[in-house]
């Protein structure tokens, strides 16, 4: 059985671009910027296309003034579409700059949108009053969704295809195919995007399902508030009616005992009831050192899907997709340059593209590699930063729990010798240093010792999955 699911048509994005272009040609530029620019296409449900805007006000305005036009234009592009509806999405995602993410907007109290959209679609009549009451509290704590965080908007490549397929499977299954789905990976690699995509998918295809998305911090805040108000019962009650619970960035739960306990209870109750849970973190369950052992191991029972650092191909694909949606064309050469040089994460990649486009618009300049180099000087410098041998030694020593001094010492006990070899191997791989140079940094060892270490680790790797995992982890934390 294949994990993938072609539910969301790629064609929709292209249709939307077509419609936008036509609209832009019809509407006064200022009006377009004010009312229509913020529109994003979030998906299709049968013959109806769903667009989202950040506020209720905008939704009403667009509905009143542009609904007919949108429908007519869309039908001209695709006669199969009979209706276009406008819903309220995330307030934080206006415009292309997107300085803040949805979660923060929720904390600022501007989260009117997403909760409304869910509430309006809940089928009435069969839901008991108590459930509605707790449901509305819940919807309040659920953060708004980023309208751009759909499956359609997610560019799939080798590093994220597994996580993508797993998220899609969860979104389109009746019963949890694996519980929990644990997504992990470095900052800005698309964890939150995938969670939002699951939520959007369900909202479109299964509006009766109650989906809650919140950050682990928010979860803790709610629980601590309930504790203070001696109302933990209703906290538990609150989650009783949830069909899909998504908790983002659980590495932040580490440490706080009572919250961990509550999280664990909520988790178990929901799993027992066959409700889907999706968790994200910046590291694997077994690396969540602040969590109690039983919780850690429980989190790994479902499917653990990691998102690897991006490759050049994926970065270029993402840039091409994002560039397509901008009004200003960006030369392919410049996209390639960015994909080559900005390797940290997708968020920074997006930010860089937006920055050069904004610059081009502001001072009407051509977008060239020279110009990109100038505008992005700081980001490029940060991305160029090379790992040093010292950093490698420190990380490796930390990882294996040995002293930094052992990297230089003459001790030959396996417990320090193997980590030392790992560090030499990584130094050879991740830095441009020669074997003699590396040897010198390891207490003045001979270059043949380094060569031996490199060979040894290469050899051991194929037979030792634990070592491979160690190396993966170390490489990742060194940003290699
Ligand atoms: P994380 O939660 O892992 O830190 P996010 O999901 O917030 O990362 O992603 C950071 C930004 O990069 C978001 O704007 C997101 O939409 C974008 N992004 C990440 N991965 C992809 C992808 N594969 N395709 C398109 N956009 C992506
Ligand atoms: Mg995130």
């Amino acid at each position: 059985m294949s994990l993938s699911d072609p539910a969301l048509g790629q064609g929709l994005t292209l249709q939307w671009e077509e419609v936008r272009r036509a609209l832009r040609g019809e509407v006064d530029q200022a009006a377009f910027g004010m009312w229509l620019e913020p529109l994003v296409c979030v998906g299709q449900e049968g013959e109806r296309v769903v667009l989202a805007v950040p506020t209720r006000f905008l939704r009403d305005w667009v509905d009143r003034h542009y609904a007919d036009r949108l429908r007519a234009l869309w039908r001209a592009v695709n006669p199969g579409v009979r209706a276009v509806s406008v819903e309220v999405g995330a307030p934080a995602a206006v415009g292309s700059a997107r300085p803040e993410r949805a979660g923060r907007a929720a904390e600022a109290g501007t989260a009117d949108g997403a909760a409304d959209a869910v509430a309006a679609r809940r089928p009435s009549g069969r839901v008991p009053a108590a459930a509605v009451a707790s449901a509305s509290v819940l919807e309040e704590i659920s953060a708004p969704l980023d309208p751009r965080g759909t499956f359609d908007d997610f560019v799939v490549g080798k590093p994220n295809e597994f996580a993508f397929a797993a998220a899609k499977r969860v979104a389109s299954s009746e019963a949890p195919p694996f519980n929990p789905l644990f997504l992990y990976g470095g900052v800005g690699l698309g964890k939150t995007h995938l969670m939002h995509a699951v939520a959007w998918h369900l909202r479109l295809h299964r509006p009766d399902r109650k989906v809650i998305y919140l950050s682990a911090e928010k979860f803790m805040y709610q629980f601590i508030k309930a504790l203070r108000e001696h109302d933990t019962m209703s906290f538990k009650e609150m989650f009783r009616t949830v069909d899909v619970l998504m908790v983002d960035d659980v590495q932040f739960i580490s440490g706080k005992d009572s919250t961990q306990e509550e999280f664990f209870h909520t988790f178990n109750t929901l799993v027992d009831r066959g409700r889907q849970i999706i968790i994200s973190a910046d590291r694997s369950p077994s690396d969540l050192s602040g969590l109690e052992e039983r919780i850690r191991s429980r989190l790994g029972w479902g499917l653990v899907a990691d998102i690897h650092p991006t490759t050049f191909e994926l970065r270029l694909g993402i840039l091409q997709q994002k560039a397509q949606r901008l009004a200003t064309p960006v030369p392919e050469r410049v996209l390639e340059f960015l994909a080559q040089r900005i390797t940290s994460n997708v968020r920074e990649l997006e930010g860089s593209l937006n920055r050069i486009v904004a610059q081009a618009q502001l001072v009407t300049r051509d977008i060239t590699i020279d110009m990109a180099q100038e505008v992005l000087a700081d980001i490029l410098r940060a991305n160029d930063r090379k790992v040093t041998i010292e950093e490698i030694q420190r990380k490796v020593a930390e990882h294996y729990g040995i002293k930094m001094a052992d990297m230089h010492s003459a001790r030959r006990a396996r417990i320090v010798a193997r980590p030392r070899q790992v560090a030499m191997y990584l130094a050879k791989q991740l830095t441009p240093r020669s074997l003699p140079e590396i040897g010198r940094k390891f207490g003045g060892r001979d270059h043949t010792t380094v060569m031996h270490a490199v060979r040894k680790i290469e050899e051991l790797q194929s037979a030792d999955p634990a070592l491979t995992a160690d190396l993966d982890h170390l490489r990742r934390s060194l940003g290699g």
Side-chain angles (χ1 to χ4, degrees):
M1 202 183 336
S2 150
L3 272 171
S4 59
D5 154 31
L8 283 173
Q10 289 296 339
L12 195 61
T13 313
L14 292 175
Q15 291 170 29
W16 172 225
E17 266 151 33
E18 199 63 30
V19 171
R20 259 174 84 95
R21 199 163 322 140
L23 259 182
R24 198 188 279 279
E26 288 183 0
V27 179
D28 166 72
Q29 201 189 337
F32 186 90
M34 179 122 65
W35 308 114
L36 301 169
E37 188 76 37
L39 279 170
V40 288
C41 181
V42 292
Q44 183 172 10
E45 194 181 37
E47 300 176 327
R48 190 168 64 95
V49 165
V50 182
L51 303 176
V53 285
T55 65
R56 242 180 295 187
F57 178 72
L58 262 179
R59 177 195 61 197
D60 294 346
W61 186 277
V62 171
D63 229 12
R64 213 164 322 127
H65 297 88
Y66 300 102
D68 291 345
R69 226 25 231 149
L70 278 168
R71 189 173 48 242
L73 286 173
W74 213 301
R75 294 196 62 174
V77 174
N78 174 5
V81 170
R82 295 187 178 275
V84 176
S85 58
V86 183
E87 295 190 350
V88 182
V94 198
S96 54
R98 199 158 26 142
E100 294 230 314
R101 298 285 297 187
R104 226 168 293 160
E107 257 116 47
T110 50
D112 61 338
D116 278 2
V118 180
R121 290 156 140 272
R122 193 182 324 114
S124 54
R126 62 174 191 84
V127 188
V132 173
S134 68
S136 66
V137 177
L138 256 190
E139 276 150 17
E140 246 168 62
I141 69 169
S142 185
L145 300 177
D146 186 333
R148 271 169 251 218
T150 64
F151 282 127
D152 233 9
D153 287 315
F154 195 82
V155 180
V156 186
K158 266 247 157 310
N160 60 23
E161 64 185 4
F162 185 67
F164 175 81
K168 265 219 146 158
R169 167 74 85 84
V170 162
S172 49
S173 297
E174 274 307 306
F178 14 75
N179 217 355
L181 168 60
F182 191 104
L183 296 171
Y184 83 94
V187 175
L189 295 182
K191 304 181 294 291
T192 300
H193 188 137
L194 282 178
M195 288 177 133
H196 283 199
V198 171
W200 278 121
H201 187 96
L202 288 168
R203 209 183 265 187
L204 278 169
H205 299 278
R206 293 297 310 269
D208 56 311
R209 294 260 190 105
K210 183 116 62 75
V211 180
I212 297 300
Y213 163 85
L214 80 172
S215 65
E217 278 170 309
K218 190 103 185 220
F219 182 91
M220 271 169 23
Y221 169 80
Q222 286 299 325
F223 177 63
I224 290 162
K225 188 161 145 245
L227 269 184
R228 213 173 29 232
E229 291 163 5
H230 306 288
D231 200 13
T232 49
M233 267 311 281
S234 66
F235 179 82
K236 285 177 195 136
E237 278 296 293
M238 218 157 62
F239 286 94
R240 235 170 34 103
T241 53
V242 177
D243 293 301
V244 180
L245 174 66
M246 303 193 236
V247 185
D248 207 351
D249 288 321
V250 297
Q251 70 271 13
F252 292 125
I253 284 191
S254 312
K256 330 237 160 158
D257 283 353
S258 53
T259 326
Q260 276 195 31
E261 196 61 33
E262 196 46 51
F263 177 72
F264 194 51
H265 277 311
T266 306
F267 182 96
N268 283 336
T269 311
L270 289 173
V271 171
D272 286 347
R273 287 171 197 220
R275 313 299 167 87
Q276 178 72 53
I277 294 183
I278 309 178
I279 304 281
S280 90
D282 66 354
R283 60 203 88 158
S284 74
S286 53
D287 284 336
L288 284 168
S289 51
L291 279 187
E292 272 178 52
E293 171 53 32
R294 66 189 171 126
I295 301 182
R296 232 184 304 156
S297 83
R298 183 67 189 80
L299 287 178
W301 279 11
L303 184 76
V304 177
D306 63 341
I307 306 184
H308 297 273
T310 55
T311 55
F312 172 76
E313 286 73 26
L314 179 59
R315 290 195 293 275
L316 186 59
I318 291 172
L319 285 169
Q320 283 166 336
Q321 187 226 49
K322 310 259 173 204
Q324 241 179 36
R325 294 173 189 196
L326 298 169
T328 315
V330 182
E332 184 72 12
R333 276 177 299 117
V334 175
L335 297 182
E336 281 169 16
F337 170 76
L338 296 180
Q340 224 147 42
R341 298 286 301 275
I342 298 170
T343 53
S344 49
N345 67 55
V346 182
R347 198 190 314 263
E348 198 157 90
L349 202 60
E350 262 187 308
S352 304
L353 180 65
N354 289 335
R355 218 154 111 183
I356 57 174
V357 168
Q359 177 78 8
Q361 282 169 350
L362 272 175
V363 299
T364 48
R365 274 179 84 171
D366 281 344
I367 297 178
T368 62
I369 292 183
D370 279 348
M371 178 261 209
Q373 233 154 0
E374 191 184 307
V375 175
L376 302 174
D378 53 339
I379 295 182
L380 291 171
R381 217 175 306 123
N383 276 275
D384 276 349
R385 205 186 67 92
K386 292 275 176 287
V387 243
T388 62
I389 294 180
E390 287 76 17
E391 273 173 283
I392 294 174
Q393 292 173 326
R394 195 163 345 103
K395 271 273 179 309
V396 173
E398 218 173 84
H399 183 78
Y400 289 103
I402 65 170
K403 289 201 280 295
M404 182 69 177
D406 286 327
M407 289 289 163
H408 313 277
S409 77
R411 270 181 77 195
R412 299 179 123 196
R414 167 77 73 84
I415 193 162
V416 297
R418 190 49 49 75
R420 199 189 291 132
Q421 287 178 324
V422 166
M424 288 183 195
Y425 168 82
L426 287 171
K428 181 71 198 121
Q429 267 212 332
L430 303 180
T431 75
R433 304 275 163 249
S434 65
L435 295 176
E437 279 176 299
I438 295 174
R440 271 198 293 284
K441 298 266 187 188
F442 284 83
R445 286 180 158 79
D446 193 71
H447 79 275
T448 52
T449 311
V450 181
M451 200 159 60
H452 172 76
V454 172
R455 287 220 187 105
K456 184 84 198 163
I457 297 299
E458 266 165 8
E459 199 182 288
L460 286 174
Q461 248 186 99
S462 49
D464 184 351
L467 178 63
T468 312
D470 283 349
L471 290 170
D472 264 358
H473 173 86
L474 286 164
R475 242 185 245 118
R476 198 183 299 222
S477 65
L478 286 160

